[in-house]
Amino acid sequence: MSSFGFGLISAAVLAIATVGFTMQFAVTNVLNLAYGSIMINSAFVTYYVNEHGVNAWVALIGGVLTGAIASWVLNRFVYTPFQKRNLAPITVVIVSLGIDLMGTFGLQAIVGGGYVSFSQNQGREFHFAGLLLSSLQLIVIGICAVVLVGVHGLLKYTRLGKAMRATSANKNLARNSGVKTQFIISTTWLISGALCGLAGTVFAMNAGVFEATSAQLYIVLLLAAMFLGGPGEPYGAMFGALIIGLSTEISAAYINPDYKDVIAFIALIVMLMFRPFGIFGSEKTN
Amino acid sequence: MSVELSKKGLILSATGLAAGYDGRAIVSGINIEATPGKVVSIVGPNGSGKSTLLKSLVGVVKVLDGSVKVGEKTITNMPPEEVAKIGVGYVPQIDDVFPPLSVKENLEIGGYLLKRNEIHGRIDAVLEFFPKLKVMMSRKAGKLSGGERKMLAMGRVLMLSPSVLVLDEPTANLAPIVATQLLEEYIRGFADFGSTVLLVEQRAKAALRISDHTYVLGGGRVVLEGAPGDLQNNPIFVESFLGGGAALRAPKE
């Protein structure tokens, strides 16, 4: 049962990250493998603000802003110039991989290789339904719920969200309808980047201790959750995150926890064999 | 037309136009004009550049030479979102709706440039014109039949009350009865109301029936033009389109 609790928290963190990741992919058409490095850089910004005596939950705003601005800058000055040259999409993916390595090891060069932690504890513990959860974990689940409801509301009920979905579905047609898709794409980088920064910070908070390379393999879970739900499908991302979060943590109770990322990929491969476009995706998405 | 869906038209013209991809012209030396209150059609064999021509008029494909004007305004290589803003509604042949969005959301995106308080009134006006859409407002556009989908595609551009309608093979993949209704009732109706309609149509006979003027494209150039009555008496046109003869070729320079 405790592994189910861990799975729930992992799923909550992963859901925040994956929703941003898949939104970014769907609207901007960039598979941004540097997402994990922006997460951990954002977490370190939160950490340093927290170190200066600011409450960690307030310092989190710094992490969110870092994720948003770094993602926007990355798109504006790196990805967009490459996309304008009409290169094969894989080129931008490779570029993003390079950015990921530079982001992670550049951070390590600056902050060193040691583990750090926020100056806050996990808070009171609560028992219910056989689960033992700390205040921090409950807050993470709460943040996840707010993010998921917020993203749903954004995409379903706002003019911006509908324009984002239209741009994702058919960019040329959106432009023919008067949508300034370049503005929509820039805004998407800001929003998905903010989710990336938020996810990085709650990931680090939940881990307790972290260092510059802590999120280096997180992209594996992100890809698994995104493709499981259906690439570019925000609701699929939420579902994929739940499955991957639970399966990796529950499996860790029975096998060596070092192999839990492998479980994520086994789940992904099984899914791709039977439904290559994911649970929520359509053949066209694929 | 019971509801004012489109505006009185403006002249859409292209002069000496060349357009294509990666700097390579697919169409060239094009001089065409579509005027208010008329249906102007473009016919031609597959690969003659009809769709490329339309796309270049609305900013989707790059104009390499010549100019495009709407009324007095030059719109050569203007971004598609600006072309939509000045009143040119374009319905592509394929990918003409947003499949994951509902019918209502498709119409809302069609009215993206409208003020928030104008959108619902416009949707009501479009639904009065295409009443079949009323019962499927929450259905995803990707789940519609061919005819329903084309109605939605037309409804989407009508949300901005366009002065000029640019339609790329609107009857493609439609049942003959639906195609006839679309051409003779709706598309002809827009022109009769005073709008400008420029239409690419594969079904030459059907196009001629509703057109006031027709251009024939072959090999990326206009090889024939005239009123439908004149074309129907032209042996080259008859052989190529009405009698099933050889495809038209561009004249040698």
Side-chain angles (χ1 to χ4, degrees):
Chain A
M1 206 61 194
S2 64
S3 56
F4 182 80
F6 282 129
L8 211 55
I9 306 301
S10 295
V13 176
L14 188 57
I16 298 168
T18 315
V19 165
F21 186 60
T22 203
M23 182 195 283
Q24 204 169 73
F25 175 60
V27 180
T28 73
N29 215 16
V30 174
L31 188 66
N32 175 25
L33 297 184
Y35 200 87
S37 76
I38 296 175
M39 278 176 66
I40 202 69
N41 275 277
S42 304
F44 266 91
V45 169
T46 305
Y47 165 73
Y48 282 113
V49 177
N50 180 230
E51 277 290 282
H52 283 80
V54 180
N55 178 288
W57 295 112
V58 178
L60 184 145
I61 295 168
V64 170
L65 289 176
T66 303
I69 294 165
S71 300
W72 186 88
V73 168
L74 189 57
N75 172 59
R76 177 72 181 75
F77 296 104
V78 182
Y79 296 150
T80 299
F82 273 100
Q83 283 184 311
K84 278 188 178 165
R85 292 166 69 182
N86 279 335
L87 300 170
I90 189 70
T91 310
V92 181
V93 175
I94 300 300
V95 169
S96 77
L97 187 60
I99 298 284
D100 184 60
L101 294 173
M102 284 192 282
T104 302
F105 293 107
L107 176 69
Q108 193 179 43
I110 295 167
V111 303
Y115 279 90
V116 295
S117 64
F118 292 105
S119 60
Q120 64 164 10
N121 56 35
Q122 294 276 319
R124 267 181 63 198
E125 290 187 331
F126 296 89
H127 290 266
F128 61 85
L131 296 177
L132 177 64
L133 295 171
S134 67
S135 305
L136 185 140
Q137 289 173 324
L138 285 173
I139 292 172
V140 170
I141 292 175
I143 290 174
C144 173
V146 169
V147 164
L148 298 189
V149 170
V151 168
H152 170 72
L154 169 74
L155 295 176
K156 191 77 186 161
Y157 301 111
T158 69
R159 186 172 179 263
L160 171 65
K162 286 172 192 171
M164 286 165 71
R165 287 165 58 214
T167 303
S168 162
N170 188 337
K171 188 176 162 190
N172 275 339
L173 194 65
R175 294 186 74 187
N176 288 133
S177 305
V179 178
K180 289 189 172 170
T181 53
Q182 211 46 54
F183 170 77
I184 298 296
I185 288 171
S186 291
T187 309
T188 302
W189 278 101
L190 279 174
I191 295 171
S192 59
L195 290 173
C196 174
L198 176 64
T201 301
V202 295
F203 164 79
M205 283 177 170
N206 183 48
V209 292
F210 60 100
E211 47 100 30
T213 62
S214 290
Q216 210 188 356
L217 282 178
Y218 205 69
I219 195 72
V220 172
L221 299 180
L222 279 170
L223 288 170
M226 181 174 89
F227 279 93
L228 197 64
E233 299 285 339
Y235 303 111
M238 299 172 194
F239 181 79
L242 190 67
I243 299 292
I244 295 295
L246 287 174
S247 61
T248 52
E249 294 298 341
I250 291 173
S251 68
Y254 300 99
I255 59 171
N256 186 336
D258 288 344
Y259 293 122
K260 67 183 184 182
D261 289 341
V262 176
I263 297 297
F265 251 78
I266 290 173
L268 175 63
I269 289 166
V270 171
M271 166 57 69
L272 291 176
M273 283 168 67
F274 292 101
R275 199 175 157 85
F277 35 89
I279 294 169
F280 283 70
S282 62
E283 287 188 59
K284 197 163 180 218
T285 315
N286 193 46
Chain B
M1 201 178 294
S2 58
V3 189
E4 277 203 12
L5 279 174
S6 49
K7 290 197 186 87
K8 296 293 178 193
L10 295 165
I11 296 174
L12 169 66
S13 62
T15 310
L17 181 122
Y21 301 89
D22 300 325
R24 196 172 66 86
I26 305 290
V27 294
S28 56
I30 303 284
N31 295 299
I32 59 167
E33 185 176 84
T35 49
K38 311 269 191 215
V39 173
V40 173
S41 56
I42 301 171
V43 298
N46 282 336
S48 60
K50 304 184 298 292
S51 291
T52 304
L53 171 57
L54 286 203
K55 286 177 183 169
S56 70
L57 298 177
V58 298
V60 176
V61 165
K62 193 166 186 194
V63 173
L64 303 170
D65 197 11
S67 66
V68 184
K69 283 175 91 171
V70 171
E72 292 304 308
K73 204 173 177 79
T74 300
I75 62 163
T76 316
N77 285 329
M78 188 180 265
E81 53 269 32
E82 297 296 324
V83 174
K85 207 172 185 175
I86 64 165
V88 179
Y90 167 60
V91 180
Q93 182 189 348
I94 50 169
D95 294 334
D96 51 356
V97 295
F98 302 102
L101 273 64
S102 69
V103 169
K104 182 167 180 263
E105 288 169 337
N106 267 270
L107 294 176
E108 286 171 346
I109 290 293
Y112 187 76
L113 294 173
L114 298 175
K115 290 184 184 134
R116 195 180 292 263
N117 58 7
E118 293 172 338
I119 289 182
H120 290 294
R122 281 303 297 171
I123 289 180
D124 289 344
V126 169
L127 292 180
E128 196 173 320
F129 195 65
F130 293 120
K132 275 187 179 173
L133 294 177
K134 270 185 198 170
V135 293
M136 49 189 79
M137 289 295 273
S138 56
R139 197 179 300 172
K140 283 191 176 177
K143 303 275 183 199
L144 301 180
S145 70
E148 293 162 351
R149 187 182 167 117
K150 197 51 79 176
M151 274 183 211
L152 176 59
M154 301 275 291
R156 181 187 57 75
V157 298
L158 293 175
M159 285 294 293
L160 291 180
S161 317
S163 305
V164 180
L165 278 163
V166 178
L167 310 171
D168 192 355
E169 296 203 27
T171 66
N173 303 319
L174 295 188
I177 192 164
V178 181
T180 303
Q181 186 192 22
L182 187 69
L183 288 172
E184 295 184 3
E185 199 175 312
Y186 296 120
I187 295 174
R188 184 66 239 179
F190 292 122
D192 291 343
F193 175 72
S195 304
T196 303
V197 178
L198 179 63
L199 166 79
V200 158
E201 183 54 55
Q202 190 77 297
R203 303 169 197 235
K205 276 185 194 169
L208 258 52
R209 224 171 16 243
I210 64 156
S211 297
D212 297 288
H213 192 88
T214 298
Y215 293 94
V216 182
L217 238 62
R221 289 173 175 271
V222 175
V223 290
L224 280 175
E225 68 167 295
D230 297 337
L231 290 176
Q232 277 162 337
N233 293 324
N234 183 312
I236 301 172
F237 183 83
V238 172
E239 188 193 346
S240 296
F241 291 102
L242 308 181
L248 282 161
R249 302 262 182 270
K252 285 186 179 156
E253 288 183 30

